[in-house]
């Protein structure tokens, strides 16, 4: 809109746990007075999955969406839309605060991948009587459930032992023994992983230690979607 210089959604932080209070405010900077009926805000959590299926040479997409958070609030204007003049918002910078209580249940973590994603966002709509309503969206991150870092199962050290012997024809070289140990079995963001490695090299050659940090994620398909895929294959006769 020509008379709106800035329309922004600002949160107190970008990452939240389940059960926390999400707070923020909508910033609206206008260069002239205009009529504004309401400012509505929606908090949503959406899971989306999509598969590409090849049946009899035809490729089709199977999609499924699920909303597990859908909270709405009115931060400006009246709930009932009675006929009458809309309030006039004077020019200048305006801040509309809002607050949402995230569910106490275990919310799925924010996730991004090619076959699916889990996203959380705030959507704000400005209801202007004589123009299409401007909309703004702000994404944020949900972190996994709270973990008691002092629990015994996370304070136990974790280690691994590997022994290797090289064979060349009928000759066997001396063994190399590698033993690694971590102080704990669980860590949080921002922590340093201290790895202790003991190497027993019984060969004459020098060896080098290389360490690599990997993250493994698992995806589980909804049983209903799998049932629809199987049903489609049965109907078309492709087995």
């Amino acid at each position: 809109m020509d008379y709106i210089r800035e329309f922004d959604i600002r949160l107190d932080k970008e990452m939240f746990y389940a059960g926390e209070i999400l707070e923020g405010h909508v910033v609206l900077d206008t260069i002239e007075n205009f009529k504004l009926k309401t400012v509505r805000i929606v908090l949503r959590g959406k899971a989306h999955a999509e598969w590409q299926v090849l049946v009899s040479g035809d490729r089709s997409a199977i999609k499924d969406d699920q909303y597990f958070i859908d909270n709405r609030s009115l931060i400006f204007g009246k709930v009932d839309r009675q006929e009458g003049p809309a309030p006039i918002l004077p020019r200048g910078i305006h801040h509309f605060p809002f607050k949402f209580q995230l569910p106490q249940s275990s919310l799925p973590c924010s996730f991004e991948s090619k076959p699916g994603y889990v996203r959380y966002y705030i959507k704000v709509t400005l209801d202007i009587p004589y123009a299409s309503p401007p909309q703004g969206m702000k994404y944020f991150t949900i972190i996994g459930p709270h973990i008691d870092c002092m629990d015994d199962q996370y304070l136990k050290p974790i280690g691994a032992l590997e022994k290797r012997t090289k064979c060349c024809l009928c000759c066997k070289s001396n063994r190399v023994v590698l033993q690694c140990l971590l102080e704990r079995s669980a860590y949080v963001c921002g922590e340093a992983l201290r790895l202790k490695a003991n190497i027993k090299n019984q060969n004459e050659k020098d060896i080098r230690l290389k360490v690599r940090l990997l993250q493994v994620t698992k995806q589980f398909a909804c049983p209903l979607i799998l049932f629809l895929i199987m049903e489609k294959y049965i109907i078309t006769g492709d087995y």
Side-chain angles (χ1 to χ4, degrees):
M1 307 298 292
D2 295 337
Y3 44 85
I4 297 179
R5 181 180 302 161
E6 182 182 5
F7 178 26
D8 193 14
I9 305 171
R10 299 177 185 176
L11 300 176
D12 292 346
K13 56 182 182 178
E14 299 293 331
M15 295 179 291
F16 297 87
Y17 287 99
E20 287 189 328
I21 297 178
L22 184 146
E23 293 185 279
H25 55 275
V26 178
V27 179
L28 193 61
D29 186 6
T30 61
I31 59 177
E32 63 179 48
N33 303 342
F34 72 97
K35 295 181 180 180
L36 178 62
K37 287 185 177 181
T38 57
V39 178
R40 299 180 180 273
I41 185 169
V42 178
L43 167 65
R44 280 179 179 166
K46 177 182 178 181
H48 173 80
E50 181 174 348
W51 281 268
Q52 296 290 334
V53 182
L54 186 62
V55 180
S56 301
D58 297 331
R59 185 177 297 274
S60 60
I62 298 178
K63 303 178 182 179
D64 188 24
D65 294 328
Q66 180 181 358
Y67 290 91
F68 34 85
I69 298 181
D70 191 3
N71 297 338
R72 304 169 184 268
S73 179
L74 183 69
I75 58 177
F76 178 81
K78 297 181 180 180
V79 179
D80 53 343
R81 296 187 175 182
Q82 298 180 355
E83 295 184 358
I88 296 178
L89 189 70
R91 65 179 181 180
I93 301 177
H94 304 273
H95 295 265
F96 303 100
F98 59 86
K99 180 187 298 185
F100 286 102
Q101 175 70 53
L102 295 176
Q104 295 285 348
S105 59
S106 297
L107 294 174
C109 304
S110 298
F111 180 75
E112 291 289 336
S113 69
K114 187 175 181 180
Y117 58 79
V118 178
R119 294 175 182 173
Y120 298 86
Y121 61 91
I122 293 287
K123 182 178 179 180
V124 178
T125 303
L126 307 180
D127 188 2
I128 301 175
Y130 47 82
S132 58
Q135 296 181 349
M137 295 181 64
K138 174 70 174 180
Y139 289 91
F140 61 93
T141 303
I142 290 291
I143 311 176
H146 284 285
I147 297 177
D148 186 5
C149 60
M150 300 305 294
D151 196 341
D152 292 340
Q153 61 175 329
Y154 302 121
L155 296 179
K156 293 179 181 179
I158 181 173
L161 180 64
E162 179 73 17
K163 300 178 181 179
R164 182 167 298 183
T165 302
K166 282 189 176 182
C167 297
C168 181
L169 298 178
C170 296
C171 299
K172 212 181 245 193
S173 61
N174 294 329
R175 292 192 306 174
V176 177
V177 181
L178 173 61
Q179 184 179 14
C180 297
L181 183 68
L182 283 174
E183 296 177 346
R184 303 196 309 272
S185 60
Y187 293 84
V188 298
C189 296
E191 280 192 303
L193 278 71
R194 298 182 179 180
L195 176 67
K196 183 179 180 181
N198 293 324
I199 304 175
K200 294 182 180 179
N201 182 16
Q202 300 176 0
N203 293 291
E204 297 179 355
K205 296 182 179 180
D206 296 336
I207 60 175
R208 295 181 180 181
L209 176 64
K210 294 183 179 180
V211 181
R212 183 170 53 178
L213 180 63
L214 300 177
Q215 181 184 19
V216 180
T217 60
K218 296 182 180 180
Q219 300 179 12
F220 299 91
C222 175
L224 176 60
I225 296 180
L226 291 180
F227 174 75
L228 293 176
I229 296 175
M230 294 176 60
E231 185 181 12
K232 187 170 184 179
Y233 273 88
I234 294 173
I235 293 175
T236 56
D238 296 331
Y239 298 95

